[in-house]
Amino acid sequence: MADRRRLSQSTLSALEFRSEVIEPPAENLLTLPERAAQFGTGAFLRGFIEYFLDAANRSGAFSGKVVAIGSTGSGRDEIVNEQDGLYTLAVEGLEHGRAHREFRIISSLSRALSASADWNEVRALARDPNIELVFSNTTEVGIVLDEDERPASPPRSFPGKLTMFLFERARATEYGPAGAITVIPCELIEKNGDRLREIVFALADRWALGNDFLEWLDSAVVFCNTLVDRIVPGRPALERIAELEEMLGYRDELLTACEPYRLFAIEAPRDARDRLGFAVADPGVVIADDIEPYRLRKVRLLNGSHSLLAPLALQCGVTTVLEAVTDDDIGEFLRRTMFDELVPACGASGASEFAAEVLDRFSNPYIRHALIDIMLQATAKMRARVVPTILDYVRREGRPPELTSFGFASFLLYQRGDDGKGGQSPRQAIPADDGAQRIRDLWGATDASASDGIAQFVDRVCDEQSFWGHDLRRLPGFNEAVTIHLSKMLQHGVRSALSQLLARSPAGVTQ
């Protein structure tokens, strides 16, 4: 065990692979040129973008590698480089009710750069004429305009870094068509490409980068709107890693788990589609004139149910999505919320069928999807994934969605930052969330024992339009519903409040 070889190009030829277990890369795939850049080094990109590029390389449709640019200081860039960009993707789950297990060594990742330590190398990458695609995945808060941003080396935000990356490229190609490039963001915000384009143009203008650059951006850079869908929990639990490495016969510090399902919907103008040659290699990639139906179903039903499920289940002592869906009360809450509230409010074609498929994916026995990971930037996710459902449900029914309101209340309680009467297990550290401190401040200013203390707290939270994009106090009955649920959670605990809710709320159409 201790002396097992670690995966890298230097050890690849010495490893003995069982063809029925793993699919190693052909030798010619190891020396392909760098043709793409990506901002981000996280697990999702390894299980998604690198997967699709690897599939395209194996079919001969792309013949290129991607360079990852890290900004979080996680140290993943060093691990990527130590393994020469190689890692194992464990694709496990259920397809049409049958177990699917596939292990593949991904070779489409070339190397990783640190934006802070290797900015000159990032600039050199921008000047490389072979680079034709830029991908990104920086969470929902990544595509925002930083009002205090400066053109530093590097800039602070992802849009700032991208702006200077593109400026470097434009100058290197003398603002000509030879520098044409396609930007494909993978953040889960509506019209992500359009939004990113607006910010890049705003920064270019603010930083006085010149009319030549603005004209080049307009003519040579295509920003695509996208919708991404694949559950990629990342590195498996330690005991699972030991089992997999015993089967594979080598160590892999980047071993990444994901489900079989994948959807990459890309909205691209027809005259730019020839730049997306990698898309033909896998049926999970869809290029369309309008991706809104795909986005609506995915964000509202899969991501929205995740955001409602995670804080509730964590406060009931449950730690993974699989545990949550198999828990009697939490699983029932999820099913009722999905079909009685999320699906009707979504209104997209095929919503019920997609919801049923989502529940099957959540029940994947091979994937340990930690609920705590879903809480990363949870406030921004609540705004993007759940608040639109609340608004549409109220417009449709004239009343707030009861179960979704309960989930919103559990989110507010979780953000208090302590167990109170909600948690039944030791408190886990709350992941990064730019909105959490404001909610905690409001909790700190609240006397929960006062007769109207919780009502005042909920009123203040719902008034935070910078959080939600709307004044939630104006929704008939919503404040009152959240106040009632939150008060019961504080009085009886989250688990007991949930049981009471399910007992008194008749189920609608469930599957």
Side-chain angles (χ1 to χ4, degrees), residues 408-439:
F408 186 84
S410 76
F411 159 78
L412 295 179
L413 181 58
Y414 185 90
Q415 296 291 46
R416 189 168 69 166
D418 58 53
D419 269 339
K421 292 186 178 180
Q424 298 177 5
S425 62
R427 187 69 175 180
Q428 292 176 282
I430 297 178
D433 184 347
D434 293 347
Q437 188 57 54
R438 175 57 180 158
I439 298 176

Side-chain angles (χ1 to χ4, degrees), residues 65-305:
K65 293 195 173 197
V66 61
V67 180
I69 303 166
S71 298
T72 62
S74 66
R76 276 190 297 265
D77 50 326
E78 297 177 2
I79 299 174
V80 168
N81 293 331
E82 288 169 1
Q83 295 192 181
D84 301 313
L86 299 176
Y87 64 93
T88 311
L89 189 65
V91 185
E92 298 180 295
L94 302 176
E95 281 192 318
H96 310 297
R98 296 183 178 181
H100 174 99
R101 302 185 75 197
E102 172 190 353
F103 301 91
R104 177 185 297 187
I105 294 178
I106 301 295
S107 61
S108 57
L109 178 57
S110 174
R111 57 190 168 113
L113 300 173
S114 165
S116 58
D118 306 316
W119 187 243
N120 283 336
E121 292 186 56
V122 174
R123 293 173 59 204
L125 182 68
R127 296 192 296 267
D128 185 342
N130 289 321
I131 301 298
E132 56 190 47
L133 301 173
V134 175
F135 300 97
S136 69
N137 184 250
T138 55
T139 79
E140 282 87 339
V141 299
I143 301 183
V144 293
L145 177 60
D146 185 341
E147 296 294 345
D148 299 321
E149 183 75 281
R150 297 290 182 271
S153 298
R156 185 166 49 196
S157 70
F158 157 57
K161 292 181 180 70
L162 177 63
T163 301
M164 296 310 295
F165 182 96
L166 295 173
F167 183 55
E168 187 74 31
R169 185 175 185 84
R171 289 192 300 176
T173 57
E174 298 181 342
Y175 305 98
I181 199 165
T182 303
V183 179
I184 309 174
C186 299
E187 290 79 4
L188 278 172
I189 64 172
E190 187 173 0
K191 301 290 184 181
N192 50 14
D194 292 347
R195 178 60 181 147
L196 183 57
R197 184 180 189 274
E198 290 172 3
I199 296 173
V200 168
F201 270 82
L203 291 174
D205 182 62
R206 180 179 300 176
W207 294 344
L209 299 181
N211 288 332
D212 287 345
F213 180 52
L214 291 171
E215 292 174 5
W216 180 85
L217 282 175
D218 189 52
S219 63
V221 183
V222 173
F223 291 81
C224 297
N225 294 320
T226 71
L227 186 281
V228 300
D229 188 1
R230 188 175 218 177
I231 297 173
V232 186
R235 192 156 172 80
L238 287 176
E239 62 274 12
R240 182 81 172 114
I241 290 173
E243 172 193 341
L244 291 173
E245 290 187 345
E246 178 69 25
M247 178 184 68
L248 298 171
Y250 56 84
R251 290 189 300 117
D252 183 353
E253 300 300 323
L254 294 171
L255 180 61
T256 303
C258 68
E259 65 172 339
Y261 183 92
R262 68 271 185 201
L263 173 66
F264 194 6
I266 305 173
E267 190 175 283
R270 293 188 178 274
D271 59 358
R273 294 184 182 184
D274 58 349
R275 304 185 190 182
L276 306 177
F278 74 91
V280 303
D282 190 281
V285 184
V286 175
I287 300 179
D289 294 328
D290 180 13
I291 63 169
E292 179 59 17
Y294 298 100
R295 189 200 68 82
L296 194 61
R297 291 186 315 191
K298 196 266 180 173
V299 173
R300 296 284 192 94
L301 303 181
L302 189 148
N303 300 115
S305 61

Side-chain angles (χ1 to χ4, degrees), residues 286-362:
V286 175
I287 300 179
D289 294 328
D290 180 13
I291 63 169
E292 179 59 17
Y294 298 100
R295 189 200 68 82
L296 194 61
R297 291 186 315 191
K298 196 266 180 173
V299 173
R300 296 284 192 94
L301 303 181
L302 189 148
N303 300 115
S305 61
H306 262 167
S307 290
L308 291 168
L309 180 69
L312 169 62
L314 285 166
Q315 292 177 102
C316 291
V318 174
T319 60
T320 70
V321 172
L322 180 60
E323 291 177 80
V325 297
T326 55
D327 180 279
D328 288 343
D329 286 339
I330 302 171
E332 181 66 13
F333 169 84
L334 176 63
R335 286 184 287 274
R336 287 196 201 178
T337 303
M338 183 76 84
F339 289 104
D340 296 352
E341 295 180 358
L342 302 189
V343 166
C346 175
S349 175
S352 292
E353 295 79 6
F354 183 81
E357 191 173 45
V358 165
L359 293 179
D360 284 344
R361 293 165 64 188
F362 286 179

